[in-house]
Amino acid sequence: MTTLSDRQAIGRDLVRREGGLKVTGTAPYADDAEVDSPVFCRLLLSPTARGRVTGIEVPEVPGLLTVLRAGSAEKLTSTGDDELAVLQDTSIAFRGQIIGAVIAETSEAAREAARLARVACTEEPQDTAFSPDRDDLYKPEKVNAGYPTDTAQGDLDAAMRTADVTVERTYTTATYHNNPMEPHSTTALWDGENLLLWESTQGVHPVRETVTEVFGLAPERVRVVSPHVGGGFGSKGAAHANVIVAAMAARALPGRPVRLALTRREMFSLVGYRTRTVMRTRLASSADGVLSGVGMDVVAPTSKVTEFAEQAGVPTRMMYAAPHRATSHRLAALDVPVPTWMRAPGECPGMFGNEVAMDELAEELGVDPIELRVRNEPAVDPASGKPYSSRGLVACLRSGAERFGWSGRRRHRVGDWLVGTGVASSVYPAFRMPHSTAHLRYADGRYVVSIGAADLGTGTWTALAQIAADGLGVPVELVEARIGDTDQPYASVAGGSSGISTWGSAIVEAARAFREKHGTEPPDGAEATGEIGSNPAQGQYAMYAFGAQFAEVHVHADTGEIRVPRLFGMFAAGRIVNPRTARSQLIGGMTMGLSMALHETSVLDPRFGHVVTQDFADYHVATCADAYRVEADWIDEHDRHVNPMGTKGIGEIGIVGTAAAIVNAAHHATGARIRDLPLTLDKLLPHLP
Ligand code: MOS
């Protein structure tokens, strides 16, 4: 354990500073923005997956102010991104697309008008059924996060032919919809020449960039404010069409603030989702468990409107050593809503395939699954050839095994329940975005650090104050962070688990500049700014956080009912700024992984092209009753290369590997190997003793 000096703020488990506001319901979210006499906007969505809107009739409901219609709405300046070119013409590209909006004096009147609206449209044959065997699969130019689509080293086919043992299997993950607690909401106001948006977003500056481009406005004319966000998981990482409609509605009613809050149902077609993936994995091994080849070929759907390629094959490129490697991604473009980021895009589904395959290989070889992973630990990153800035996988596997009680594991039975345990690795890149700027000001004995960052409910308000306090060498109680407003300096999106690493680096730089300029006894009004570019060490090192997840699974021998009484995750994610909020991120990710493993699945009806599971009755997200003991811890890791704080990001790695650990444990308990998520009892029942 590191001993902390009394003054050091990083590493202290401080309570979140805005917690009081949140638990008393007084933290202002986007839909709570205090404005004078707001009006209310409700959307009209396409009832068909492909065709044309031929008419929209809205009756004269009392309080109705105006109607926006596809084809006759305000012309946008930039329509380069089809997802955002909303209402620009009458074509329908997916079911649940925005084709109109009504704005009324009250929320009730808007709902009533939307309910009574009559939409006429033509229907054309639509294509929404995904299959990996379609003959129109195509190779995207790159996959999400800019990775190459395909990679190959050596000759994997030859390695598969000559290996002692091979595993070649196909795994599938379901469609998952981001369901943050707070639905996407906007309060928009055109005030003279200026647009003011209170927005629920992962990045106020990125939203401003999008809105200024779409409407052709100078940046200084748009302000985006977002002090509190009730989760996003990627779906609030970029502005979607609803934000554009809210701004259009405000422009149609100048001086009147417009509120547009999506309903839960609308979120199932408008704000993105994680696509299904079909992953063919290949492992070639010697009899003693040394890999000679690894491969993954991914097929997934995307939308014809805007391409998104889930990079599920990417973690296979770097995870384990082997001279022969190959990965590929192919897509089927369908008449479906636009997919997007969802917590650990790429790594989350990819490591399901990867880590269940490793479990299958371990079983085939008769080698302990942890030992198999240790034997294939690479000396350098197999994808890039660069050394790792730090790689804590083996430490996580070993110390996690100790803590979980892995050794001597045996399948057994307790009453009617079959009991087993499973393990899987976690990984997530340690990203730092290329730009962010922080500003520091001292007055009346207090320091204020301003940066247009976002707190999605993760603890950013608190953690950034901790980083600033250590940078300045002052007690954290004297430091206040101000975030969530484009009036503050530019901050990158809270995405790719890069927030603390990026914004914190800018804050450390601002603190350094402040001390250099003003010394330790600054005058009132002393200020300094810190701006960062890319991390130069990124070219020299492969930077990743790692983890090991352990699950205990009970399966009822007669009914197939599945319970997960224990999940334990051990992580190596650099320095932990605040153990309290970090633990909450990690166990939150693991709980979402449990939900992915056992419950969540969006069912698309290919006859009509819509997701039929559009609410929390049909789309079950794990609740407290589903999550028993979910625990996380971490090893002390000091990585000097990632950034000045030594942090690696913890928002996403918690979900990576959880589903594989659970599926592997269910196999240990029952002998049944389920390769298609979610793991539901109907899949296990035929295999039970
Ligand atoms: Mo996260 S899915 O990169 O917002």
Side-chain angles (χ1 to χ4, degrees), residues 184-339:
H184 297 56
S185 318
T186 312
T187 301
L189 173 64
W190 277 94
D191 184 9
E193 291 291 282
N194 300 319
L195 173 62
L196 182 48
L197 293 172
W198 289 267
E199 179 64 26
S200 180
T201 177
Q202 293 174 222
V204 288
H205 286 277
V207 166
R208 173 159 79 173
E209 285 169 358
T210 301
V211 167
T212 52
E213 190 186 329
V214 167
F215 286 94
L217 299 168
E220 59 274 15
R221 287 181 54 199
V222 179
R223 180 176 170 202
V224 183
V225 181
S226 183
H228 302 288
V229 183
F233 307 116
S235 68
K236 294 173 185 168
H240 298 287
N242 57 298
V243 181
I244 307 303
V245 171
M248 276 180 171
R251 179 116 94 175
L253 295 162
R256 300 293 307 269
V258 177
R259 291 209 206 276
L260 172 51
L262 297 189
T263 64
R264 187 61 61 182
R265 287 194 162 204
E266 288 167 342
M267 289 171 61
F268 281 81
S269 68
L270 294 177
V271 297
Y273 57 97
R274 196 198 302 282
T275 64
R276 289 172 65 184
T277 63
V278 176
M279 302 174 278
R280 181 178 71 124
T281 71
R282 287 184 287 171
L283 297 173
S285 173
S286 69
D288 54 358
V290 175
L291 290 168
S292 56
V294 296
M296 181 180 282
D297 300 296
V298 182
V299 184
T302 188
S303 150
K304 283 182 195 163
V305 178
T306 300
E307 181 187 275
F308 180 88
E310 179 92 23
Q311 74 274 31
V314 164
T316 297
R317 296 173 183 172
M318 52 64 62
M319 199 60 203
Y320 301 113
H324 305 285
R325 332 176 59 89
T327 63
S328 73
H329 297 85
R330 296 294 178 269
L331 294 176
L334 306 175
D335 300 316
V336 295
V338 182

Side-chain angles (χ1 to χ4, degrees), residues 235-458:
S235 68
K236 294 173 185 168
H240 298 287
N242 57 298
V243 181
I244 307 303
V245 171
M248 276 180 171
R251 179 116 94 175
L253 295 162
R256 300 293 307 269
V258 177
R259 291 209 206 276
L260 172 51
L262 297 189
T263 64
R264 187 61 61 182
R265 287 194 162 204
E266 288 167 342
M267 289 171 61
F268 281 81
S269 68
L270 294 177
V271 297
Y273 57 97
R274 196 198 302 282
T275 64
R276 289 172 65 184
T277 63
V278 176
M279 302 174 278
R280 181 178 71 124
T281 71
R282 287 184 287 171
L283 297 173
S285 173
S286 69
D288 54 358
V290 175
L291 290 168
S292 56
V294 296
M296 181 180 282
D297 300 296
V298 182
V299 184
T302 188
S303 150
K304 283 182 195 163
V305 178
T306 300
E307 181 187 275
F308 180 88
E310 179 92 23
Q311 74 274 31
V314 164
T316 297
R317 296 173 183 172
M318 52 64 62
M319 199 60 203
Y320 301 113
H324 305 285
R325 332 176 59 89
T327 63
S328 73
H329 297 85
R330 296 294 178 269
L331 294 176
L334 306 175
D335 300 316
V336 295
V338 182
T340 190
W341 305 305
M342 183 166 175
R343 205 171 198 168
E347 280 75 19
C348 175
M351 287 293 277
F352 173 68
N354 221 37
E355 295 300 297
V356 179
M358 286 296 276
D359 202 65
E360 299 209 44
L361 177 62
E363 187 193 13
E364 192 90 4
L365 291 164
V367 173
D368 178 85
I370 291 178
E371 193 51 36
L372 176 65
R373 288 168 173 85
V374 172
R375 280 182 204 172
N376 292 288
E377 182 69 358
V380 295
D381 172 19
S384 66
K386 294 178 205 165
Y388 286 96
S389 61
S390 55
R391 182 173 160 118
L393 177 63
V394 172
C396 289
L397 286 164
R398 293 245 192 262
S399 62
E402 187 89 6
R403 289 278 297 276
F404 179 79
W406 176 261
S407 74
R409 74 193 277 254
R410 59 184 179 89
R411 174 184 303 177
H412 62 287
R413 190 171 171 138
V414 179
D416 291 335
W417 295 87
L418 310 171
V419 177
T421 55
V423 67
S425 304
S426 305
V427 67
Y428 197 78
F431 287 124
R432 182 176 121 183
M433 298 294 176
H435 300 294
S436 277
T437 302
H439 179 262
L440 265 170
R441 185 166 195 278
Y442 173 80
D444 304 323
R446 297 184 61 78
Y447 297 83
V448 174
V449 59
S450 303
I451 180 164
D455 189 325
L456 316 187
T458 50

Side-chain angles (χ1 to χ4, degrees), residues 471-550:
L472 290 161
V474 301
V476 68
E477 293 73 23
L478 299 184
V479 183
E480 182 191 329
R482 293 194 185 153
I483 63 169
D485 191 329
T486 49
D487 280 357
Q488 295 144 357
Y490 182 88
S492 53
V493 69
S497 300
S498 67
I500 290 296
S501 294
T502 311
W503 313 325
S505 298
I507 290 172
V508 169
E509 180 52 26
R512 194 200 56 73
F514 186 93
R515 279 285 171 253
E516 194 176 285
K517 237 163 111 180
H518 306 295
T520 50
E521 282 172 29
D524 250 29
E527 293 181 285
T529 298
E531 189 179 343
I532 55 146
S534 318
N535 178 6
Q538 214 130 23
Q540 295 155 34
Y541 295 96
M543 299 177 181
Y544 292 89
F546 291 90
Q549 297 207 21
F550 298 82

